[in-house]
Amino acid sequence: MSVPRRLLSVARSSIPHTSRCARRTPQSSFAFTRQQSNVAARKLHQQAPRRAQAATAEQEAIFESTNPALSFPCLDAVESRSETLSRRSLSGPEPSYTSGKHLNFHSKKPLLLDWGGILPEFNVAYETWGTLNGDKSNAILLYTGLSASSHAHSTESNPQPGWWEKFIGSGKPVDTDKYFVICTNVIGGCYGSTGPSSLDPANGERYATRFPILTMEDMVSAQFRLLDDLGIDKLYASVGSSMGGMQSLASGVLFPDRVGRIVSISGCARSHPQTIAMRHIQRQVLMTDPNWNRGFYYDNVPPHAGMKMARELATVTYRSGPEWEQRFGRRRADPSRQPALCPDFLIETYLDHAGEKWCLQYDANSLLYVSKAMDLFDLGQEHRNIINKVRHENQGKLQAFVEGRVSGNEDGLDTCSLILPDQPYEEKEQPADEASVNTETSPSEVPEDLVAGLRPLANIPSLVLGVASDSLFPAWQQEEIANTLKRAGNKHVTHIELGKDKSLFGHDTFLLDLENVGGAVKSFLG
């Protein structure tokens, strides 16, 4: 005997669905109160025994979930990795962040950072290619992107291909028959240079988040300490892409008499809100991983899940939509299988692989510090004035440290007095005349503040290269650099923009396009 439709609804509404993929039923179907359910149930049990047995049998069939629970192999993999790392952490730090054998410059002279922090001593990991000539005038300093090591090209001690392998070498765009090429790992990084994972000489413990806030200019200053040690007074050229393009410009602003040429590829003269927002999200994803532990995760399980997601977010900005349309389209990894909530489309599996591959190759704290330094980047004169004032005020702190009167953080100041506002930010209505200002500003109309800030580069020949398909550092930002340099009086600015007909690789074009990017660099260097 079948159970009445009304009683089936009651029975279903009283059963918790344990399946993760149970179908949702319209709320109106479950309008009965608990009391009504109990009444209906009592009526059901008052039926004749045979009818009751039939009803019970049918109910039991109904009580089993209609659909099986989904499996989540992507989450299983993360949990398995955590368990493995937990066991390994008992025998030492996991993992060790390194990119292979490299040279090391150790400075025992303290470095005062822009925002008042002090590194009592520091290391700069570096590698070189080519030969430094007699008067040391053929040196090129190559700046890296956010997560790159000093290993831009293979060496005898480290034969693994470098991140710019095809661009460096005999007869290549950066010709080692002509130039002595130096590439460093930035301070704040984790591939040999001093960063959050390094030991603090004051107590022998890892810095973790006791590491001071950095700027791009701090990184450049440390690199020029290396040049001093090598006896190189002036660079033939500074060359950089992405974050390296920012540093290349900063080197000319800080040391205009020591830089002969500037190459800035897919960089900017100041960080803009869109990229700041993206890096903020990456940091928040990472910092909310419980294993991050306010930065003190060394010798324990690292925040690999947060790192994986942060990298996946970043990877979305490295390539272009049109390229992914051609490369992946809407294809699924296995169309014969039922869709899943874990990586299913080819683009999802690509992002998952990119995050998984990288999450234990780079230190989480380094990502936080280096990406924040990118956000703080601004070569405008107003910002430079603020930094110069802060540095002047902290000279006494540095002198006291040198004389041994105080340690780096015994000045009685709260090094992080940031508090959240009582009220969240709210949009304010602007007058119509103000809201319409600069809505159609031409890229040629650059801020006077930026013109003043880049004036030290007026006499330095500069190559500025952008890519139309770049969504992370859009081509208008390189156009802004070029126009600002011209307004600052620089008559030797070469500005190249690769259209989408030449490259669909987005921001990663500087790593992949040997013909157009490499060709432009080779022609400019001479």
Side-chain angles (χ1 to χ4, degrees):
M1 177 179 175
S2 63
V3 180
R5 183 183 302 274
R6 182 167 177 267
L7 295 183
L8 288 178
S9 293
V10 174
R12 285 174 178 166
S13 68
S14 64
I15 302 169
H17 288 267
T18 57
S19 170
R20 301 183 194 179
C21 59
R23 277 184 284 180
R24 293 174 180 257
T25 306
Q27 188 66 32
S28 58
S29 300
F30 300 132
F32 295 98
T33 62
R34 182 180 297 274
Q35 183 178 4
Q36 289 172 314
S37 298
N38 292 337
V39 170
R42 283 198 298 272
K43 289 183 178 179
L44 176 65
H45 289 297
Q46 290 171 357
Q47 305 296 323
R50 183 177 298 177
R51 296 176 63 188
Q53 291 174 4
T56 301
E58 188 161 352
Q59 275 185 290
E60 288 177 353
I62 295 170
F63 291 172
E64 295 180 3
S65 178
T66 306
N67 302 303
L70 295 178
S71 62
F72 293 91
C74 50
L75 300 184
D76 295 339
V78 171
E79 293 167 1
S80 176
R81 176 70 67 91
S82 292
E83 178 61 26
T84 301
L85 295 177
S86 179
R87 292 195 297 269
R88 290 182 182 178
S89 66
L90 298 176
S91 60
E94 172 67 30
S96 64
Y97 305 101
T98 180
S99 62
K101 294 183 178 180
H102 53 258
L103 301 171
N104 183 66
F105 162 66
H106 179 73
S107 175
K108 292 187 176 180
K109 182 180 178 182
L111 181 66
L112 175 65
L113 306 177
D114 278 347
W115 285 102
I118 294 177
L119 292 181
E121 54 188 68
F122 63 91
N123 294 322
V124 174
Y126 71 101
E127 295 176 49
T128 68
W129 304 268
T131 303
L132 187 62
N133 60 15
D135 60 2
K136 300 184 178 182
S137 62
N138 68 333
I140 290 178
L141 184 55
L142 179 61
Y143 300 94
T144 73
L146 183 153
S147 59
S149 70
S150 60
H151 194 60
H153 190 273
S154 54
T155 62
E156 288 187 10
S157 59
N158 186 358
Q160 293 297 318
W163 56 266
W164 233 28
E165 186 75 18
K166 295 180 180 180
F167 290 76
I168 302 172
S170 177
K172 300 291 180 64
V174 184
D175 193 343
T176 52
D177 294 335
K178 298 179 180 179
Y179 310 117
F180 178 65
V181 184
I182 309 164
C183 184
T184 80
N185 176 222
V186 297
I187 58 170
C190 56
Y191 292 130
S193 294
T194 296
S197 59
S198 302
L199 299 181
D200 183 346
N203 58 14
E205 299 177 357
R206 294 180 188 265
Y207 279 106
T209 45
R210 289 184 292 252
F211 198 78
I213 290 293
L214 287 168
T215 66
M216 293 287 106
E217 292 86 340
D218 292 328
M219 299 173 184
V220 172
S221 295
Q223 290 160 334
F224 271 71
R225 289 270 190 97
L226 165 63
L227 297 182
D228 293 338
D229 187 68
L230 296 174
I232 299 172
D233 296 326
K234 185 173 182 176
L235 291 170
Y236 179 82
S238 68
V239 177
S241 304
S242 187
M243 185 182 84
M246 300 157 75
Q247 291 178 288
S248 188
L249 292 171
S251 68
V253 171
L254 294 177
F255 306 100
D257 297 330
R258 300 187 64 179
V259 179
R261 290 168 179 76
I262 287 175
V263 175
S264 180
I265 304 169
S266 297
C268 62
R270 51 183 178 163
S271 285
H272 294 269
Q274 184 173 357
T275 52
I276 293 174
M278 180 56 67
R279 288 188 289 264
H280 160 75
I281 295 172
Q282 293 170 40
R283 289 195 296 271
Q284 291 293 297
V285 165
L286 170 54
M287 292 164 66
T288 52
D289 184 323
N291 287 329
W292 182 62
N293 192 34
R294 300 298 194 273
F296 291 88
Y297 52 81
Y298 300 108
D299 301 327
N300 292 301
V301 180
H304 60 100
M307 281 289 280
K308 178 180 179 179
M309 288 187 283
R311 185 62 170 187
E312 289 187 39
L313 283 168
T315 303
V316 171
T317 70
Y318 293 159
R319 297 296 180 93
S320 75
E323 186 224 347
W324 280 353
E325 194 69 39
Q326 292 182 6
R327 190 172 170 188
F328 303 111
R330 288 185 43 78
R331 295 192 301 278
R332 294 175 55 215
D334 188 348
S336 67
R337 290 180 177 270
Q338 183 175 342
L341 296 180
C342 280
D344 181 28
F345 285 93
L346 284 182
I347 181 60
E348 293 177 315
T349 63
Y350 168 75
L351 293 174
D352 183 73
H353 173 73
E356 188 67 41
K357 178 182 177 182
W358 190 77
C359 68
L360 292 175
Q361 293 180 353
Y362 195 76
D363 181 35
N365 284 335
S366 284
L367 175 61
L368 298 176
Y369 278 88
V370 177
S371 70
K372 187 65 178 182
M374 295 179 73
D375 290 352
L376 295 171
F377 185 66
D378 183 354
L379 292 179
Q381 190 59 51
E382 181 180 352
H383 180 71
R384 294 305 312 154
N385 290 342
I386 293 173
I387 292 298
N388 290 336
K389 180 181 178 182
V390 172
R391 290 189 66 86
H392 177 74
E393 292 171 351
N394 284 308
Q395 286 299 322
K397 176 182 175 182
L398 176 62
Q399 186 61 33
F401 175 80
V402 171
E403 295 174 358
R405 289 185 278 121
V406 295
S407 68
N409 33 332
E410 288 181 352
D411 54 7
L413 299 176
D414 183 0
T415 57
C416 184
S417 58
L418 177 67
I419 59 173
L420 296 177
D422 294 331
Q423 297 294 330
Y425 174 79
E426 294 182 1
E427 293 287 350
K428 296 181 180 179
E429 186 175 350
Q430 292 179 302
D433 56 341
E434 292 184 14
S436 62
V437 173
N438 291 333
T439 55
E440 296 182 358
T441 301
S442 167
S444 62
E445 298 177 18
V446 295
E448 290 299 326
D449 174 63
L450 200 57
V451 173
L454 294 188
R455 196 154 280 135
L457 308 183
N459 298 316
I460 305 177
S462 302
L463 168 63
V464 182
L465 191 149
V467 181
S469 59
D470 190 343
S471 62
L472 183 60
F473 287 78
W476 66 262
Q477 295 184 11
Q478 292 84 57
E479 186 174 0
E480 180 181 69
I481 297 172
N483 290 333
T484 302
L485 288 174
K486 293 174 183 177
R487 284 280 307 281
N490 192 324
K491 298 180 180 180
H492 303 284
V493 178
T494 302
H495 176 222
I496 298 174
E497 180 178 322
L498 301 181
K500 294 181 180 179
D501 58 323
K502 292 188 176 180
S503 177
L504 289 179
F505 293 125
H507 189 63
D508 275 357
T509 296
F510 76 90
L511 294 170
L512 303 168
D513 194 336
L514 183 62
E515 178 183 356
N516 293 301
V517 174
V521 171
K522 185 172 185 177
S523 176
F524 178 77
L525 293 177

